[in-house]
């Protein structure tokens, strides 16, 4: 059975990055960095880490709020936004690099590394795919398409033409039956890159598109297929 554990890695700035990790019980196919949502490393994020490991991937989720001593936020939405606003782009990229370094230390080659993120992490996943060399990336419900997700980072629509690896974007409708103009802009920007890209928009049937179990299952399978196809 796949077990999830937390490791701590010291950083050059004197802080220590916590990593939630899970290893496959069989052969390791490659490694995937999981970037958490705005509320931190929630049960949903741990479930993704576990699910990826069950599919054969060495999975690692860096705790991006570690400098504030936070793992999971359970406060009001405005408190969560204040935490997001305190993020510094340079530190976010450094923490993500540390997670990729952890995979490298476990003998995962760069072309067998992927990244997936949700909400806030989905935005960062696209930026990582435009700034680093890796095998594949997936963004799920990344926000702030036209504005920077954190101080010092570009907007997604500006970064997308520079994607360096195959990227899949999974989004929900802004309004039932209505295309989201920002997602359409992002699709066009990503398509101008020199790599394979795809943007899938699911119907919004609740607070989030993945509130529908069938949609969530399809989106998850699409994610696994993307990594299967490109991390070879």
């Amino acid at each position: 059975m796949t077990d999830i554990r937390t490791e701590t890695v010291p950083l050059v700035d004197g802080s220590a990055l916590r990593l939630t990790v899970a290893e496959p019980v069989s052969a390791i196919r490659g490694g995937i960095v999981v970037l958490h949502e705005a509320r931190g490393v929630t049960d949903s994020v741990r479930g993704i880490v576990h699910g990826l490991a069950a599919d054969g991937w060495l999975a690692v989720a860096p705790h991006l709020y570690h400098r504030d001593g936070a793992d999971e936020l359970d406060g009001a939405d405005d408190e969560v936004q204040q935490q997001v606003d305190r993020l510094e782009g340079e530190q976010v990229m450094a923490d993500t690099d540390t997670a990729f370094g952890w995979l490298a230390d476990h003998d995962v080659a760069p072309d067998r590394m992927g990244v997936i993120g949700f909400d806030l992490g989905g935005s960062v996943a696209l930026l990582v795919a435009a700034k680093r060399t890796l095998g594949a990336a997936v963004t799920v419900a990344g926000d702030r398409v036209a504005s920077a997700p954190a101080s010092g980072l570009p907007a997604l629509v500006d970064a997308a033409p520079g994607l360096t690896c195959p990227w899949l974007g999974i989004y929900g409708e802004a309004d039932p039956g209505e295309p989201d103009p920002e997602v359409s802009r992002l699709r066009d920007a990503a398509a101008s890159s020199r790599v394979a890209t795809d943007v899938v928009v699911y119907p919004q049937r609740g607070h989030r598109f993945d509130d529908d179990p069938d949609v969530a299952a399809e989106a998850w399978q699409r994610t696994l297929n993307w990594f299967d196809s490109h991390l070879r």
Side-chain angles (χ1 to χ4, degrees):
M1 181 177 178
T2 301
D3 292 325
I4 295 180
R5 66 180 187 275
T6 300
E7 296 187 6
T8 302
V9 178
L11 303 179
V12 294
D13 65 3
S15 65
L17 175 63
R18 290 186 295 281
L19 302 172
T20 291
V21 304
E23 299 184 30
V25 295
S26 56
I28 294 174
R29 304 169 61 194
I32 298 176
V33 171
V34 180
L35 298 174
H36 63 68
E37 57 188 290
R39 288 190 173 273
V41 183
T42 62
D43 285 343
S44 294
V45 173
R46 286 187 285 271
I48 296 300
V49 171
H50 182 276
L52 289 169
D55 199 51
W57 305 103
L58 182 58
V60 53
H63 295 219
L64 301 179
Y65 298 150
H66 68 94
R67 291 175 180 82
D68 292 326
D71 291 304
E72 181 178 355
L73 307 177
D74 56 6
D77 288 347
D78 58 341
E79 295 175 358
V80 173
Q81 187 57 54
Q82 289 172 15
Q83 179 66 63
V84 172
D85 291 342
R86 285 198 292 273
L87 284 177
E88 294 289 339
E90 185 175 327
Q91 293 175 340
V92 170
M93 295 301 292
D95 291 345
T96 305
D97 287 344
T98 298
F100 283 119
W102 186 90
L103 290 176
D105 288 343
H106 288 73
D107 300 321
V108 179
D111 62 348
R112 302 296 296 277
M113 294 182 188
V115 62
I116 182 172
F118 304 84
D119 181 43
L120 165 70
S123 299
V124 177
L126 185 150
L127 300 179
V128 169
K131 291 176 173 289
R132 300 293 187 265
T133 300
L134 60 154
V138 177
T139 289
V140 181
D143 59 359
R144 301 191 184 188
V145 169
S147 60
S151 174
L153 293 177
L156 303 194
V157 72
D158 295 329
L163 285 166
T164 65
C165 69
W167 172 77
L168 169 65
I170 299 176
Y171 288 85
E173 295 174 335
D175 297 299
E178 295 293 331
D180 187 332
E182 285 204 351
V183 172
S184 297
R185 285 182 63 198
L186 183 58
R187 177 188 283 112
D188 291 343
S192 70
S193 69
R194 298 183 179 182
V195 296
T197 64
D198 190 17
V199 174
V200 180
V201 179
Y202 286 104
Q204 195 90 355
R205 295 175 180 169
H207 179 64
R208 305 192 329 178
F209 71 87
D210 54 354
D211 287 339
D212 184 323
D214 292 336
V215 169
E218 182 181 330
W220 175 243
Q221 189 59 55
R222 191 181 291 271
T223 294
L224 295 181
N225 291 345
W226 191 260
F227 288 132
D228 287 342
S229 298
H230 298 292
L231 298 183
R232 293 181 176 273

